[in-house]
mmCIF file of all heavy atoms in Angstrom:
data_model
loop_
_atom_site.group_PDB
_atom_site.id
_atom_site.type_symbol
_atom_site.label_atom_id
_atom_site.label_comp_id
_atom_site.label_asym_id
_atom_site.label_seq_id
_atom_site.Cartn_x
_atom_site.Cartn_y
_atom_site.Cartn_z
ATOM 1 N N GLU Q 1478 8.997 -11.426 -9.425
ATOM 2 C CA GLU Q 1478 9.795 -11.068 -10.583
ATOM 3 C C GLU Q 1478 10.648 -12.231 -11.072
ATOM 4 O O GLU Q 1478 10.728 -12.512 -12.271
ATOM 5 C CB GLU Q 1478 10.705 -9.886 -10.236
ATOM 6 C CG GLU Q 1478 10.023 -8.548 -10.089
ATOM 7 C CD GLU Q 1478 10.980 -7.462 -9.629
ATOM 8 O OE1 GLU Q 1478 11.900 -7.768 -8.836
ATOM 9 O OE2 GLU Q 1478 10.834 -6.318 -10.066
ATOM 10 N N ILE Q 1479 11.287 -12.890 -10.144
ATOM 11 C CA ILE Q 1479 12.183 -13.985 -10.503
ATOM 12 C C ILE Q 1479 11.381 -15.155 -11.104
ATOM 13 O O ILE Q 1479 11.769 -15.747 -12.133
ATOM 14 C CB ILE Q 1479 13.005 -14.433 -9.283
ATOM 15 C CG1 ILE Q 1479 13.987 -13.336 -8.884
ATOM 16 C CG2 ILE Q 1479 13.767 -15.753 -9.581
ATOM 17 C CD1 ILE Q 1479 14.573 -13.491 -7.506
ATOM 18 N N ALA Q 1480 10.274 -15.472 -10.468
ATOM 19 C CA ALA Q 1480 9.406 -16.510 -11.014
ATOM 20 C C ALA Q 1480 8.914 -16.134 -12.446
ATOM 21 O O ALA Q 1480 8.859 -16.978 -13.357
ATOM 22 C CB ALA Q 1480 8.187 -16.738 -10.098
ATOM 23 N N ALA Q 1481 8.611 -14.852 -12.640
ATOM 24 C CA ALA Q 1481 8.139 -14.402 -13.929
ATOM 25 C C ALA Q 1481 9.253 -14.520 -14.987
ATOM 26 O O ALA Q 1481 8.987 -14.888 -16.141
ATOM 27 C CB ALA Q 1481 7.672 -12.950 -13.860
ATOM 28 N N LEU Q 1482 10.479 -14.241 -14.609
ATOM 29 C CA LEU Q 1482 11.599 -14.360 -15.552
ATOM 30 C C LEU Q 1482 11.812 -15.797 -15.978
ATOM 31 O O LEU Q 1482 12.101 -16.078 -17.163
ATOM 32 C CB LEU Q 1482 12.874 -13.786 -14.938
ATOM 33 C CG LEU Q 1482 12.964 -12.268 -14.842
ATOM 34 C CD1 LEU Q 1482 14.161 -11.860 -14.016
ATOM 35 C CD2 LEU Q 1482 13.071 -11.637 -16.243
ATOM 36 N N VAL Q 1483 11.694 -16.730 -15.021
ATOM 37 C CA VAL Q 1483 11.865 -18.151 -15.341
ATOM 38 C C VAL Q 1483 10.737 -18.578 -16.304
ATOM 39 O O VAL Q 1483 10.948 -19.314 -17.263
ATOM 40 C CB VAL Q 1483 11.871 -18.988 -14.079
ATOM 41 C CG1 VAL Q 1483 11.859 -20.486 -14.424
ATOM 42 C CG2 VAL Q 1483 13.092 -18.652 -13.232
ATOM 43 N N ALA Q 1484 9.510 -18.110 -16.031
ATOM 44 C CA ALA Q 1484 8.375 -18.442 -16.912
ATOM 45 C C ALA Q 1484 8.591 -17.838 -18.297
ATOM 46 O O ALA Q 1484 8.316 -18.479 -19.312
ATOM 47 C CB ALA Q 1484 7.088 -17.930 -16.290
ATOM 48 N N ALA Q 1485 9.073 -16.596 -18.328
ATOM 49 C CA ALA Q 1485 9.312 -15.936 -19.600
ATOM 50 C C ALA Q 1485 10.377 -16.677 -20.428
ATOM 51 O O ALA Q 1485 10.290 -16.703 -21.679
ATOM 52 C CB ALA Q 1485 9.734 -14.497 -19.370
ATOM 53 N N ALA Q 1486 11.336 -17.253 -19.737
ATOM 54 C CA ALA Q 1486 12.363 -18.040 -20.432
ATOM 55 C C ALA Q 1486 11.743 -19.229 -21.154
ATOM 56 O O ALA Q 1486 12.095 -19.531 -22.284
ATOM 57 C CB ALA Q 1486 13.438 -18.505 -19.446
ATOM 58 N N ASP Q 1487 10.791 -19.871 -20.495
ATOM 59 C CA ASP Q 1487 10.112 -20.990 -21.106
ATOM 60 C C ASP Q 1487 9.325 -20.554 -22.349
ATOM 61 O O ASP Q 1487 9.355 -21.211 -23.417
ATOM 62 C CB ASP Q 1487 9.181 -21.677 -20.113
ATOM 63 C CG ASP Q 1487 9.934 -22.477 -19.077
ATOM 64 O OD1 ASP Q 1487 11.158 -22.626 -19.207
ATOM 65 O OD2 ASP Q 1487 9.288 -22.972 -18.120
ATOM 66 N N PHE Q 1488 8.629 -19.412 -22.242
ATOM 67 C CA PHE Q 1488 7.896 -18.854 -23.396
ATOM 68 C C PHE Q 1488 8.856 -18.543 -24.537
ATOM 69 O O PHE Q 1488 8.586 -18.835 -25.691
ATOM 70 C CB PHE Q 1488 7.154 -17.585 -22.988
ATOM 71 C CG PHE Q 1488 5.805 -17.805 -22.356
ATOM 72 C CD1 PHE Q 1488 5.626 -17.609 -21.008
ATOM 73 C CD2 PHE Q 1488 4.724 -18.219 -23.118
ATOM 74 C CE1 PHE Q 1488 4.388 -17.804 -20.411
ATOM 75 C CE2 PHE Q 1488 3.476 -18.411 -22.541
ATOM 76 C CZ PHE Q 1488 3.302 -18.215 -21.182
ATOM 77 N N SER Q 1489 9.994 -17.933 -24.190
ATOM 78 C CA SER Q 1489 10.981 -17.567 -25.226
ATOM 79 C C SER Q 1489 11.501 -18.802 -25.940
ATOM 80 O O SER Q 1489 11.650 -18.830 -27.155
ATOM 81 C CB SER Q 1489 12.137 -16.783 -24.580
ATOM 82 O OG SER Q 1489 11.691 -15.634 -23.948
ATOM 83 N N GLU Q 1490 11.797 -19.838 -25.183
ATOM 84 C CA GLU Q 1490 12.314 -21.051 -25.751
ATOM 85 C C GLU Q 1490 11.295 -21.716 -26.679
ATOM 86 O O GLU Q 1490 11.630 -22.159 -27.780
ATOM 87 C CB GLU Q 1490 12.677 -22.044 -24.626
ATOM 88 C CG GLU Q 1490 13.889 -22.885 -24.948
ATOM 89 C CD GLU Q 1490 14.538 -23.424 -23.683
ATOM 90 O OE1 GLU Q 1490 13.809 -23.990 -22.835
ATOM 91 O OE2 GLU Q 1490 15.760 -23.252 -23.508
ATOM 92 N N GLU Q 1491 10.031 -21.728 -26.265
ATOM 93 C CA GLU Q 1491 8.988 -22.280 -27.114
ATOM 94 C C GLU Q 1491 8.810 -21.467 -28.384
ATOM 95 O O GLU Q 1491 8.358 -21.996 -29.412
ATOM 96 C CB GLU Q 1491 7.652 -22.317 -26.339
ATOM 97 C CG GLU Q 1491 7.659 -23.339 -25.204
ATOM 98 C CD GLU Q 1491 6.420 -23.198 -24.310
ATOM 99 O OE1 GLU Q 1491 5.524 -22.406 -24.671
ATOM 100 O OE2 GLU Q 1491 6.356 -23.885 -23.254
ATOM 101 N N ASN Q 1492 9.202 -20.186 -28.330
ATOM 102 C CA ASN Q 1492 9.078 -19.322 -29.489
ATOM 103 C C ASN Q 1492 10.356 -19.333 -30.345
ATOM 104 O O ASN Q 1492 10.488 -18.524 -31.246
ATOM 105 C CB ASN Q 1492 8.765 -17.884 -29.027
ATOM 106 C CG ASN Q 1492 8.166 -17.041 -30.134
ATOM 107 O OD1 ASN Q 1492 7.282 -17.452 -30.847
ATOM 108 N ND2 ASN Q 1492 8.673 -15.828 -30.266
ATOM 109 N N GLY Q 1493 11.290 -20.209 -29.982
ATOM 110 C CA GLY Q 1493 12.511 -20.318 -30.791
ATOM 111 C C GLY Q 1493 13.533 -19.231 -30.497
ATOM 112 O O GLY Q 1493 14.470 -19.057 -31.264
ATOM 113 N N GLU Q 1494 13.395 -18.512 -29.378
ATOM 114 C CA GLU Q 1494 14.326 -17.436 -29.035
ATOM 115 C C GLU Q 1494 15.196 -17.860 -27.852
ATOM 116 O O GLU Q 1494 15.004 -17.438 -26.731
ATOM 117 C CB GLU Q 1494 13.542 -16.147 -28.724
ATOM 118 C CG GLU Q 1494 12.690 -15.677 -29.905
ATOM 119 C CD GLU Q 1494 11.970 -14.377 -29.648
ATOM 120 O OE1 GLU Q 1494 12.677 -13.357 -29.434
ATOM 121 O OE2 GLU Q 1494 10.748 -14.340 -29.691
ATOM 122 N N LYS Q 1495 16.145 -18.703 -28.165
ATOM 123 C CA LYS Q 1495 16.982 -19.321 -27.127
ATOM 124 C C LYS Q 1495 17.873 -18.308 -26.414
ATOM 125 O O LYS Q 1495 18.130 -18.417 -25.225
ATOM 126 C CB LYS Q 1495 17.806 -20.473 -27.709
ATOM 127 C CG LYS Q 1495 16.947 -21.636 -28.151
ATOM 128 C CD LYS Q 1495 17.804 -22.806 -28.641
ATOM 129 C CE LYS Q 1495 16.918 -24.003 -29.033
ATOM 130 N NZ LYS Q 1495 17.738 -25.152 -29.509
ATOM 131 N N ALA Q 1496 18.376 -17.308 -27.158
ATOM 132 C CA ALA Q 1496 19.254 -16.317 -26.553
ATOM 133 C C ALA Q 1496 18.491 -15.493 -25.492
ATOM 134 O O ALA Q 1496 19.008 -15.223 -24.411
ATOM 135 C CB ALA Q 1496 19.825 -15.402 -27.600
ATOM 136 N N MET Q 1497 17.241 -15.147 -25.792
ATOM 137 C CA MET Q 1497 16.435 -14.429 -24.842
ATOM 138 C C MET Q 1497 16.112 -15.298 -23.624
ATOM 139 O O MET Q 1497 16.129 -14.829 -22.488
ATOM 140 C CB MET Q 1497 15.130 -13.918 -25.482
ATOM 141 C CG MET Q 1497 14.326 -12.979 -24.586
ATOM 142 S SD MET Q 1497 12.797 -12.479 -25.337
ATOM 143 C CE MET Q 1497 13.398 -11.640 -26.819
ATOM 144 N N ALA Q 1498 15.840 -16.553 -23.851
ATOM 145 C CA ALA Q 1498 15.563 -17.487 -22.767
ATOM 146 C C ALA Q 1498 16.770 -17.569 -21.826
ATOM 147 O O ALA Q 1498 16.614 -17.538 -20.606
ATOM 148 C CB ALA Q 1498 15.220 -18.850 -23.329
ATOM 149 N N GLU Q 1499 17.958 -17.658 -22.417
ATOM 150 C CA GLU Q 1499 19.163 -17.740 -21.596
ATOM 151 C C GLU Q 1499 19.361 -16.462 -20.799
ATOM 152 O O GLU Q 1499 19.678 -16.514 -19.587
ATOM 153 C CB GLU Q 1499 20.391 -17.956 -22.489
ATOM 154 C CG GLU Q 1499 21.687 -18.109 -21.683
ATOM 155 C CD GLU Q 1499 22.893 -18.235 -22.614
ATOM 156 O OE1 GLU Q 1499 22.867 -17.719 -23.749
ATOM 157 O OE2 GLU Q 1499 23.882 -18.849 -22.153
ATOM 158 N N TYR Q 1500 19.111 -15.316 -21.412
ATOM 159 C CA TYR Q 1500 19.268 -14.049 -20.684
ATOM 160 C C TYR Q 1500 18.268 -13.960 -19.511
ATOM 161 O O TYR Q 1500 18.633 -13.521 -18.408
ATOM 162 C CB TYR Q 1500 19.046 -12.863 -21.642
ATOM 163 C CG TYR Q 1500 19.061 -11.545 -20.941
ATOM 164 C CD1 TYR Q 1500 20.267 -10.925 -20.588
ATOM 165 C CD2 TYR Q 1500 17.868 -10.891 -20.575
ATOM 166 C CE1 TYR Q 1500 20.300 -9.718 -19.905
ATOM 167 C CE2 TYR Q 1500 17.893 -9.690 -19.887
ATOM 168 C CZ TYR Q 1500 19.118 -9.126 -19.550
ATOM 169 O OH TYR Q 1500 19.144 -7.937 -18.858
ATOM 170 N N CYS Q 1501 17.021 -14.351 -19.745
ATOM 171 C CA CYS Q 1501 16.005 -14.317 -18.650
ATOM 172 C C CYS Q 1501 16.425 -15.213 -17.504
ATOM 173 O O CYS Q 1501 16.314 -14.790 -16.346
ATOM 174 C CB CYS Q 1501 14.650 -14.759 -19.207
ATOM 175 S SG CYS Q 1501 13.851 -13.568 -20.296
ATOM 176 N N ARG Q 1502 16.901 -16.414 -17.795
ATOM 177 C CA ARG Q 1502 17.304 -17.326 -16.730
ATOM 178 C C ARG Q 1502 18.531 -16.788 -15.983
ATOM 179 O O ARG Q 1502 18.630 -16.903 -14.767
ATOM 180 C CB ARG Q 1502 17.554 -18.706 -17.302
ATOM 181 C CG ARG Q 1502 16.282 -19.414 -17.794
ATOM 182 C CD ARG Q 1502 16.508 -20.888 -18.101
ATOM 183 N NE ARG Q 1502 15.281 -21.481 -18.559
ATOM 184 C CZ ARG Q 1502 15.025 -21.855 -19.839
ATOM 185 N NH1 ARG Q 1502 15.978 -21.687 -20.732
ATOM 186 N NH2 ARG Q 1502 13.875 -22.397 -20.163
ATOM 187 N N GLN Q 1503 19.475 -16.251 -16.743
ATOM 188 C CA GLN Q 1503 20.691 -15.717 -16.077
ATOM 189 C C GLN Q 1503 20.337 -14.536 -15.168
ATOM 190 O O GLN Q 1503 20.886 -14.408 -14.076
ATOM 191 C CB GLN Q 1503 21.707 -15.301 -17.119
ATOM 192 C CG GLN Q 1503 22.350 -16.480 -17.833
ATOM 193 C CD GLN Q 1503 23.246 -16.055 -18.986
ATOM 194 O OE1 GLN Q 1503 23.083 -14.982 -19.560
ATOM 195 N NE2 GLN Q 1503 24.201 -16.909 -19.329
ATOM 196 N N THR Q 1504 19.418 -13.686 -15.607
ATOM 197 C CA THR Q 1504 19.026 -12.545 -14.786
ATOM 198 C C THR Q 1504 18.283 -13.066 -13.549
ATOM 199 O O THR Q 1504 18.522 -12.579 -12.418
ATOM 200 C CB THR Q 1504 18.130 -11.589 -15.584
ATOM 201 O OG1 THR Q 1504 18.850 -11.129 -16.722
ATOM 202 C CG2 THR Q 1504 17.718 -10.388 -14.755
ATOM 203 N N ALA Q 1505 17.386 -14.027 -13.754
ATOM 204 C CA ALA Q 1505 16.664 -14.595 -12.631
ATOM 205 C C ALA Q 1505 17.620 -15.210 -11.609
ATOM 206 O O ALA Q 1505 17.464 -15.053 -10.392
ATOM 207 C CB ALA Q 1505 15.664 -15.655 -13.107
ATOM 208 N N ASP Q 1506 18.630 -15.923 -12.104
ATOM 209 C CA ASP Q 1506 19.610 -16.585 -11.203
ATOM 210 C C ASP Q 1506 20.372 -15.531 -10.380
ATOM 211 O O ASP Q 1506 20.586 -15.699 -9.192
ATOM 212 C CB ASP Q 1506 20.582 -17.401 -12.032
ATOM 213 C CG ASP Q 1506 19.973 -18.614 -12.698
ATOM 214 O OD1 ASP Q 1506 18.793 -18.961 -12.340
ATOM 215 O OD2 ASP Q 1506 20.616 -19.217 -13.577
ATOM 216 N N HIS Q 1507 20.767 -14.460 -11.044
ATOM 217 C CA HIS Q 1507 21.522 -13.417 -10.318
ATOM 218 C C HIS Q 1507 20.659 -12.768 -9.255
ATOM 219 O O HIS Q 1507 21.078 -12.587 -8.109
ATOM 220 C CB HIS Q 1507 22.032 -12.370 -11.309
ATOM 221 C CG HIS Q 1507 22.669 -11.199 -10.619
ATOM 222 N ND1 HIS Q 1507 23.842 -11.288 -9.901
ATOM 223 C CD2 HIS Q 1507 22.248 -9.895 -10.538
ATOM 224 C CE1 HIS Q 1507 24.134 -10.084 -9.390
ATOM 225 N NE2 HIS Q 1507 23.193 -9.243 -9.771
ATOM 226 N N TRP Q 1508 19.434 -12.400 -9.634
ATOM 227 C CA TRP Q 1508 18.534 -11.774 -8.626
ATOM 228 C C TRP Q 1508 18.231 -12.746 -7.480
ATOM 229 O O TRP Q 1508 18.194 -12.353 -6.351
ATOM 230 C CB TRP Q 1508 17.241 -11.318 -9.302
ATOM 231 C CG TRP Q 1508 17.415 -10.168 -10.234
ATOM 232 C CD1 TRP Q 1508 18.571 -9.502 -10.523
ATOM 233 C CD2 TRP Q 1508 16.388 -9.515 -11.011
ATOM 234 N NE1 TRP Q 1508 18.345 -8.481 -11.420
ATOM 235 C CE2 TRP Q 1508 17.020 -8.469 -11.740
ATOM 236 C CE3 TRP Q 1508 15.034 -9.720 -11.146
ATOM 237 C CZ2 TRP Q 1508 16.296 -7.624 -12.589
ATOM 238 C CZ3 TRP Q 1508 14.297 -8.892 -11.996
ATOM 239 C CH2 TRP Q 1508 14.935 -7.850 -12.711
ATOM 240 N N ASN Q 1509 18.040 -14.007 -7.824
ATOM 241 C CA ASN Q 1509 17.738 -15.013 -6.785
ATOM 242 C C ASN Q 1509 18.929 -15.131 -5.831
ATOM 243 O O ASN Q 1509 18.741 -15.225 -4.605
ATOM 244 C CB ASN Q 1509 17.447 -16.355 -7.435
ATOM 245 C CG ASN Q 1509 17.114 -17.428 -6.408
ATOM 246 O OD1 ASN Q 1509 16.139 -17.338 -5.690
ATOM 247 N ND2 ASN Q 1509 17.936 -18.439 -6.372
ATOM 248 N N ASP Q 1510 20.142 -15.145 -6.357
ATOM 249 C CA ASP Q 1510 21.330 -15.241 -5.501
ATOM 250 C C ASP Q 1510 21.461 -14.061 -4.527
ATOM 251 O O ASP Q 1510 22.047 -14.182 -3.465
ATOM 252 C CB ASP Q 1510 22.610 -15.324 -6.350
ATOM 253 C CG ASP Q 1510 22.924 -16.718 -6.785
ATOM 254 O OD1 ASP Q 1510 22.093 -17.625 -6.570
ATOM 255 O OD2 ASP Q 1510 24.020 -16.934 -7.358
ATOM 256 N N ARG Q 1511 20.900 -12.928 -4.906
ATOM 257 C CA ARG Q 1511 21.078 -11.686 -4.113
ATOM 258 C C ARG Q 1511 19.942 -11.424 -3.137
ATOM 259 O O ARG Q 1511 19.971 -10.413 -2.436
ATOM 260 C CB ARG Q 1511 21.303 -10.512 -5.023
ATOM 261 C CG ARG Q 1511 22.600 -10.544 -5.802
ATOM 262 C CD ARG Q 1511 23.101 -9.173 -6.180
ATOM 263 N NE ARG Q 1511 23.377 -8.350 -4.980
ATOM 264 C CZ ARG Q 1511 23.572 -7.036 -5.081
ATOM 265 N NH1 ARG Q 1511 23.573 -6.422 -6.235
ATOM 266 N NH2 ARG Q 1511 23.871 -6.341 -3.973
#
């Protein structure tokens, strides 16, 4: 799941959706920390 969120962030960024990319990375970071 965490790897998928990081990958999704890259897709979002390439699609010009920076806010979504940031949200995906922040969620991945939180899950990874836990």
Side-chain angles (χ1 to χ4, degrees):
E1478 287 175 325
I1479 293 164
L1482 285 170
V1483 173
D1487 287 352
F1488 276 107
S1489 301
E1490 215 159 50
E1491 291 171 7
N1492 199 46
E1494 300 184 60
K1495 292 185 178 180
M1497 188 182 299
E1499 181 183 29
Y1500 175 80
C1501 287
R1502 292 192 180 107
Q1503 288 173 336
T1504 302
D1506 292 347
H1507 173 66
W1508 290 0
N1509 181 63
D1510 274 9
R1511 292 206 64 191

